[in-house]
Amino acid sequence: MNNVVTKPKVINDSPYYKILNYNIYNVLEKLMNAPSILIFVDLYHEEEIENFLRNNKITIMNSVIQIGKNYNMMSYYPHIKIKAQLIKEYQLVNWDFSCVVITRTADHLFIIRGIEEEGQVGIRIKEMQLGLYAELINIK
């Protein structure tokens, strides 16, 4: 886990935000407690992630998130609800991870990508609805 404790560098290019030099886990935990649902996906290009969200039905269950077009082609992701689950899932991903953040009604809030820029590891956040970064994350 990235445990950087210095002042974060935030680059605002709305609807995109980059946060460098900051503990990424803290942002993810803040969103999990919002309450939002975090889904780590194995997609690495923004267009692929947006197509994935647009072309699949998301069903939120008690312990898993079911995503797919039909019952023959379903994927299941952990429904991360507590800090221990978030730590476990975050430790399984690489620094260039992709994470989708949705509401409990499956509205899309953010697409988050792990990045390395200027020799620093951080995240790039795309807010899917303007004003959400300030409302839910608000790291300056």
Side-chain angles (χ1 to χ4, degrees):
M1 251 186 268
N2 182 8
N3 292 317
V4 178
V5 292
T6 58
K7 181 171 173 42
K9 177 179 181 181
V10 178
I11 301 165
N12 177 349
D13 188 17
S14 186
Y16 297 96
Y17 295 83
K18 291 181 186 175
I19 302 174
L20 303 169
N21 202 31
Y22 190 71
N23 187 336
I24 297 165
Y25 173 80
N26 288 346
V27 176
L28 299 174
E29 183 177 28
K30 191 173 198 176
L31 288 169
M32 180 189 73
N33 292 331
S36 308
I37 297 171
L38 291 91
I39 306 168
F40 291 98
V41 294
D42 291 327
L43 301 168
Y44 297 96
H45 298 285
E46 184 176 319
E47 302 80 31
E48 290 177 323
I49 296 169
E50 287 178 352
N51 285 336
F52 174 77
L53 292 171
R54 184 176 27 261
N55 296 328
N56 289 291
K57 180 182 179 205
I58 300 174
T59 304
I60 301 165
M61 301 175 167
N62 189 40
S63 59
V64 296
I65 308 300
Q66 176 183 290
I67 301 177
K69 292 181 182 183
N70 58 51
Y71 289 105
N72 295 329
M73 299 179 66
M74 289 289 172
S75 297
Y76 295 89
Y77 299 86
H79 188 165
I80 302 168
K81 297 180 187 176
I82 60 172
K83 187 175 181 174
Q85 285 177 298
L86 179 58
I87 290 170
K88 178 184 173 194
E89 293 301 317
Y90 182 61
Q91 288 176 337
L92 294 174
V93 298
N94 294 322
W95 64 268
D96 64 341
F97 70 92
S98 295
C99 180
V100 175
V101 182
I102 62 174
T103 66
R104 301 217 181 274
T105 56
D107 294 326
H108 309 150
L109 300 177
F110 301 102
I111 295 174
I112 300 175
R113 284 293 321 273
I115 60 170
E116 182 178 0
E117 190 171 287
E118 301 174 15
Q120 300 174 6
V121 175
I123 55 175
R124 181 173 148 242
I125 300 168
K126 179 180 182 183
E127 61 180 356
M128 305 304 279
Q129 301 169 27
L130 293 179
L132 287 177
Y133 179 89
E135 180 182 336
L136 297 175
I137 299 172
N138 202 26
I139 295 170
K140 299 176 183 178

